[in-house]
Amino acid sequence: MTEQFRNLIGGEWREGANTSTNVNPSNTDDVIGQYARATAEDMAAAIAAAKAAFPGWSRSGIMERHGILRRASDEIVSRKEELGRLLSREEGKTLAEGVGEVVRAAQIFDFFAGECLRLAGETVPSARPGLRVDITREPMGVVGLITPWNFPIAIPSWKIAPALAYGNTVVIKPAELVPGCAWALVDILHRAGLPAGVLNLVMGKGSVIGQAMLDSPDVKALSFTGSVATGRRVAEASAKHLRKFQLEMGGKNPMVVVDDADLNVAVEACVNGAFFSTGQRCTASSRLIVTEGIHDRFVEAMTARLKGLKVGDALDPGTHIGPVVDQSQLDQDERYIAIGREEGATLAFGGERLNLATPGFYLQPALFTGATNQMRISREEIFGPVASVIRVRDYDEALATANDTEFGLTAGICTTSLKYAEHFRRNAEAGMIMVNVPTAGVDFHVPFGGSKGSSYGSREQGRYAAEFYTHVKTAYTLP
Ligand code: NAD
């Protein structure tokens, strides 16, 4: 019997209208479970439950909030192998990557448990004698969270933890492809002692229940991570309600490699940034912009390194690159590989579908050379293990090429020169800059987010999360 997983609404586990089957992309014969598929009415019930729970939770003591987030962090980390396995099984990143993501989720809850104890305002003298001015951060109310499939536990964690720490109540709608990790996380938080209605989980289709969340005037703040197309819908619907919203969307992140780079450092940063986690990271470096003095050595070393990588079952400890998440993403990756060839780029390595022992969505990492920054493969987010090498004359052309994109999430440079590193840090148009490290891979306690078309609104994570999950109140008192 396949296990059944229900929605959490108002503190009760409730069936949906029907269910969806969660399958393993490494082996489509392996069914993880049947997950409830909610209706728009279920979403309305969850929002109503969160609204009813808000007055109590917003006034809850800091020790209660701290204790719940701490207990959740402890349980997540104590179950890191099991949850990492679940994550790799439903999303397809390798077991090491899955366990790493689970540990990160625990660290996020640990950080925000601490933030509960550091909530503070300011008291300042008034311009008018005798008056006192108190400036406090207040919770927003019911917060709606919509998350994508590629970080099934980290992204729900980095939204849920600050939302709860600052006194909001929550409705989360995880991506339909990966409900397992979100369910496990919500189960942990529920058992850690959250009062009924404070955290609600509604699983199902974005076009039905996601849209119902967008259309509800009772959702006072909405944090979204996903594609640009859905992000626009969030923005439009939120504008109608004059609701606070935050969008984290796509990327076409550049990694610049200049002549003076340490070749080994550059190849490791580019292989990791472009291809690990199957290239399915918003922070992936899909444009490798390489100056001509190092170009040929770089391409040769990259190709040799890629030949040594094993694509396989995410749960196999020998695997370096797991499968693509599903058939439609695989189709998209293959479509872009065909487009790259038609546009005149050279497929220097990979790009072939692999038939392995189990039925899964396996694709060899694909490296294009001879690409230009005007090609579609250099401008549109592919979201797979596909990267292009763009050859440029010098650092100045590299920087201009890096910035010639509508996105601005991360940007990296490999160099041994302080002059280039500092100039790039100041002039690259992105929210996160990486020097001699992959464009993907960020810490849990500092702000995360992009510029230009990649992000909208205030930053996520670290203390900057308070900007989104609170509003500022200024109170004047004549004692
Ligand atoms: P997606 O936009 O298809 O889906 C994201 C979420 O939105 C899902 O939960 C989905 O069900 C929901 N949704 C879909 N239609 C909706 C609607 N009409 N109303 C409300 N919700 C709706 O994105 P995806 O394919 O799950 O994720 C991949 C994308 O996410 C990529 O573009 C990637 O770059 C981006 N991403 C960005 C970041 C970041 O922090 N910048 C992080 C991870 C992923």
Side-chain angles (χ1 to χ4, degrees):
M1 236 319 253
T2 316
E3 225 182 316
Q4 307 274 331
F5 297 88
R6 289 173 289 171
N7 295 310
L8 184 68
I9 298 174
E12 286 171 16
W13 293 105
R14 294 199 207 162
E15 310 268 344
N18 47 40
T19 61
S20 68
T21 308
N22 188 359
V23 296
N24 178 350
S26 297
N27 177 3
T28 52
D29 292 338
D30 175 27
V31 172
I32 295 153
Q34 295 290 339
Y35 287 78
R37 202 180 248 182
T39 60
E41 290 70 36
D42 294 328
M43 177 55 80
I47 294 168
K51 190 176 176 183
F54 178 68
W57 183 248
S58 61
R59 286 194 292 270
S60 60
I62 57 170
M63 292 316 292
E64 182 181 359
R65 292 185 213 171
H66 170 264
I68 291 168
L69 298 189
R70 257 251 54 92
R71 283 192 289 282
S73 174
D74 288 347
E75 181 172 339
I76 294 167
V77 83
S78 73
R79 291 172 56 196
K80 66 179 181 187
E81 298 293 338
E82 172 212 337
L83 293 171
R85 217 180 147 73
L86 169 66
L87 197 164
S88 297
R89 210 172 141 215
E90 73 172 351
E91 197 270 351
K93 62 184 69 171
T94 65
L95 193 53
E97 290 167 336
V99 172
E101 189 181 326
V102 170
V103 170
R104 181 164 166 203
Q107 290 168 328
I108 290 166
F109 278 97
D110 185 33
F111 178 87
F112 284 104
E115 285 302 281
C116 295
L117 308 182
R118 283 188 283 270
L119 295 172
E122 284 178 78
T123 299
V124 297
S126 166
R128 288 168 280 168
L131 270 180
R132 192 185 75 214
V133 184
D134 294 301
I135 304 161
T136 51
R137 284 197 172 274
E138 307 290 327
M140 296 297 300
V142 177
V143 171
L145 309 178
I146 300 181
T147 56
W149 52 262
N150 65 330
F151 283 93
I153 199 160
I155 295 180
S157 297
W158 83 50
K159 294 184 193 296
I160 293 173
L164 295 177
Y166 297 119
N168 302 281
T169 55
V170 174
V171 180
I172 179 164
K173 188 228 120 17
E176 214 184 344
L177 274 178
V178 292
C181 285
W183 189 94
L185 181 62
V186 168
D187 173 53
I188 288 170
L189 282 157
H190 178 57
R191 287 186 291 95
L194 278 178
V198 171
L199 174 63
N200 303 272
L201 170 72
V202 190
M203 299 178 285
K205 282 186 92 60
S207 55
V208 179
I209 57 167
Q211 193 62 45
M213 181 191 275
L214 300 189
D215 293 340
S216 169
D218 289 329
V219 174
K220 298 300 178 196
L222 203 145
S223 179
F224 168 82
T225 302
S227 64
V228 176
T230 315
R232 274 187 211 285
R233 281 174 177 272
V234 175
E236 281 162 17
S238 297
K240 212 158 81 192
H241 296 297
L242 299 180
R243 167 203 296 144
K244 190 175 187 180
F245 65 98
Q246 171 185 61
L247 311 175
E248 289 297 344
M249 302 172 288
K252 197 70 201 173
N253 309 295
M255 174 55 96
V256 167
V257 179
V258 289
D259 287 356
D260 71 11
D262 177 316
L263 187 62
N264 291 330
V265 167
V267 168
E268 284 318 304
C270 290
V271 166
N272 178 325
F275 300 114
F276 286 177
S277 297
T278 323
Q280 297 175 151
R281 294 187 284 196
C282 48
T283 48
S285 30
S286 48
R287 292 186 298 141
L288 310 177
I289 301 166
V290 185
T291 54
E292 55 192 16
I294 196 172
H295 175 274
D296 294 355
R297 281 182 292 138
F298 173 79
V299 169
E300 194 184 325
M302 277 294 282
T303 315
R305 181 75 170 83
L306 288 175
K307 275 187 192 140
L309 293 181
K310 183 171 172 236
V311 176
D313 190 316
L315 297 178
D316 177 346
T319 293
H320 299 110
I321 298 178
V324 171
V325 73
D326 72 351
Q327 184 64 51
S328 99
Q329 183 63 49
L330 181 61
D331 292 344
Q332 174 163 314
D333 297 346
E334 292 193 303
R335 208 161 48 242
Y336 273 107
I337 291 168
I339 289 170
R341 283 178 148 149
E342 282 159 24
E343 288 179 309
T346 305
L347 192 56
F349 182 85
E352 295 295 322
R353 261 215 77 163
L354 298 172
N355 289 315
L356 304 181
T358 50
F361 308 111
Y362 298 108
L363 182 66
Q364 253 183 344
L367 184 70
F368 278 110
T369 54
T372 71
N373 201 46
Q374 302 316 315
M375 292 177 176
R376 281 182 66 193
I377 53 168
S378 303
R379 304 211 77 81
E380 297 169 19
E381 185 182 49
I382 301 172
F383 220 56
V386 185
S388 312
V389 178
I390 301 170
R391 184 186 183 127
V392 291
R393 227 174 20 258
D394 53 17
Y395 169 78
D396 289 338
E397 189 183 347
L399 176 65
T401 306
N403 286 341
D404 178 15
T405 170
E406 66 184 82
F407 295 110
L409 192 55
T410 62
I413 186 167
C414 290
T415 180
T416 52
S417 153
L418 186 60
K419 184 179 81 174
Y420 289 143
E422 283 299 295
H423 190 270
F424 190 81
R425 190 171 63 78
R426 286 205 205 96
N427 294 289
E429 295 168 358
M432 294 173 286
I433 305 296
M434 310 290 182
V435 179
N436 294 321
V437 286
T439 55
V442 294
D443 284 3
F444 64 91
H445 65 305
V446 290
F448 176 97
S451 62
K452 294 165 48 178
S454 289
S455 300
Y456 186 94
S458 51
R459 288 287 183 261
E460 301 203 77
Q461 300 194 55
R463 290 175 57 204
Y464 283 65
E467 290 295 324
F468 183 73
Y469 292 100
T470 64
H471 65 91
V472 173
K473 187 179 267 180
T474 311
Y476 298 83
T477 306
L478 184 61

